[in-house]
Amino acid sequence: MTMNPLLAGSALGTPLPRVLRPQRALPADTVRPTRAEINLAALRHNLRVVARQAAGAEVYCVLKADGYGHGSKGVARTLERAGAHGIAVALLEEAIELRDAGIRAPILVMGGTFGRSWGEVLRHDLVPVLHDLGQLDELADEVRHSGSPAAPIHVKIDSGMGRLGVAPRDVPRLAEALRFAPEVRLDGLMTHFACADTRDVESLERQLALFEEATRELARQGIVPRVRHAANSAATLALPAARLDLVRPGIAIFGVSPFDAPVSELRPAMRIRTELVALREIAIGGGVGYGATWRAARPSRVATLPMGYADGLSRGLSNRGSVLVRGRRAPIVGAVSMDMTMVDVTDLPGAAVGDECVVLGAQSGPLGSDSIGAEELAGLLGTVPWEILTSVSRRVPRFYREP
Ligand SMILES: *Cc1c(COP(=O)(O)O)cnc(C)c1O
């Protein structure tokens, strides 16, 4: 058991420092109106959409990077109850966090970095994805020394992503290593696509063919995994041949399209909202924000919202992005600062301090209804929606709600 540092301090007679805080503020602790609302019904809906596409394949929801910024524990609990077959994460510590939170579903650890922590893998009943033969030796050693039953593993084949995995030419050596390692059991064989999001079918098929060849080579040596898997969200939605025995959707579970075009059936699970905390009149020529990068070209009403780049509202949206107030867009003016952002509400009659302000997601109000998707923000910032979701910082408390 790890020692609570607060208790350790009191045992030594030193005064308790009041510096440790809960990782996520409780509702009662939250003074600032800035928060991310996570719609649990949307998560369940998206799981159903993906499961229908998976057509009988197992669904392992990918919840790396704190569940794509949604809070992996709350999300995992919801998806586990909704029937997800398993969960996949990148890091060992992400997996342990979920086990400690009481998640019982199978957890696949895909990132490949285990250091010397194979004992932790076994103790927490996790399934590691191995990508080289040295890892196989280390894990086999740990199993032997700890007297554990044979450890289930998945092995990754590099069929063209050029990142992690056993090269196709090394598959015969892999087969041999597995034959002589009774300490491990090949539960799964996997690969990962480089070009699924752009629907480059030719590239997908080339990778799948190499994966099939690796499967056959293992089978020739009598090694047959229980399941084989390759599909991320894009491949699950677009390429039936890639679904195999198990799919690994991430972004689709959160209701965001992996493609350039939207996927109408998916429902975004995250909505980020705050409130206007100040409002001022700016005369013609008056500047707003650091560097006065925006100046009023007309008498303007400019409102301040308590969210900035330290919360994940990218500084790249300075003078480019917009937010929703009263159901209509208000352009961001001036530079986004660390804790605050200013928006032009001159064209939004009735805008007042206390109005809800939506940075991500949908809003309906007296002036209309509109929504801002992670896809749109990614387009403005020259990045991908995955980065938008995972950039919402821990300073923004996550609130879980049914619709
Ligand atoms: C992140 C990841 C996924 C999920 O990808 P999405 O595009 O978000 O669906 C699947 N497999 C692996 C190996 C990953 O790293």
Side-chain angles (χ1 to χ4, degrees), residues 116-375:
R116 308 237 113 234
S117 305
W118 300 106
E120 294 288 307
V121 172
L122 299 176
R123 253 191 304 290
H124 290 94
D125 194 18
L126 306 172
V127 181
V129 173
L130 307 189
H131 60 89
D132 73 32
L133 299 180
Q135 295 182 312
L136 195 63
D137 288 341
E138 291 171 12
L139 177 57
D141 272 353
E142 181 71 33
V143 170
R144 257 193 317 278
H145 288 124
S146 63
S148 309
I153 60 166
H154 288 211
V155 170
K156 190 172 207 174
I157 304 294
D158 181 7
S159 62
M161 175 74 177
R163 192 173 70 174
L164 275 190
V166 175
R169 67 171 175 282
D170 292 333
V171 170
R173 281 178 51 220
L174 168 67
E176 176 142 329
L178 287 169
R179 278 201 298 151
F180 292 104
E183 298 87 353
V184 301
R185 172 166 59 76
L186 185 65
D187 186 59
L189 191 68
M190 70 180 278
T191 194
H192 193 48
F193 294 120
C195 303
D197 309 329
T198 52
R199 304 189 202 235
D200 180 346
V201 174
E202 200 183 306
S203 156
L204 292 174
E205 284 174 349
R206 201 170 334 116
Q207 285 198 253
L208 265 185
L210 277 172
F211 190 51
E212 295 293 348
E213 178 48 37
T215 308
R216 279 195 297 274
E217 176 64 35
L218 287 171
R220 274 197 284 277
Q221 303 216 35
I223 292 167
V224 178
R226 181 184 66 86
V227 290
R228 292 192 312 136
H229 51 107
N232 55 6
S233 296
T236 303
L237 296 173
L239 189 71
R243 290 166 198 158
L244 306 177
D245 306 309
L246 184 156
V247 296
R248 308 187 306 262
I251 198 149
I253 294 293
F254 300 103
V256 175
S257 171
F259 307 116
D260 282 340
V263 176
S264 60
E265 273 183 293
L266 298 175
R267 294 188 198 149
M270 188 192 292
R271 181 175 184 271
I272 300 177
R273 57 86 72 198
T274 183
E275 288 167 16
L276 303 182
V277 294
L279 189 60
R280 70 204 61 246
E281 309 285 337
I282 307 277
I284 292 181
V288 166
Y290 285 120
T293 60
W294 184 87
R295 286 189 183 278
R298 58 176 176 168
S300 302
R301 302 180 74 219
V302 169
T304 303
L305 48 116
M307 179 171 185
Y309 60 76
D311 300 297
L313 178 57
S314 173
R315 195 165 173 282
L317 295 171
S318 302
N319 293 310
R320 302 187 70 189
S322 48
V323 303
L324 304 176
V325 178
R326 296 173 75 76
R328 200 193 285 169
R329 281 171 190 251
I332 292 175
V333 292
V336 172
S337 49
M338 188 185 291
D339 317 303
M340 276 172 270
T341 300
M342 280 68 79
V343 296
D344 183 356
V345 296
T346 313
D347 296 328
L348 305 186
V353 167
D355 278 356
E356 184 194 66
C357 171
V358 169
V359 171
L360 177 74
Q363 188 191 49
S364 300
L367 302 179
S369 48
D370 202 346
S371 70
I372 296 172
E375 298 92 333

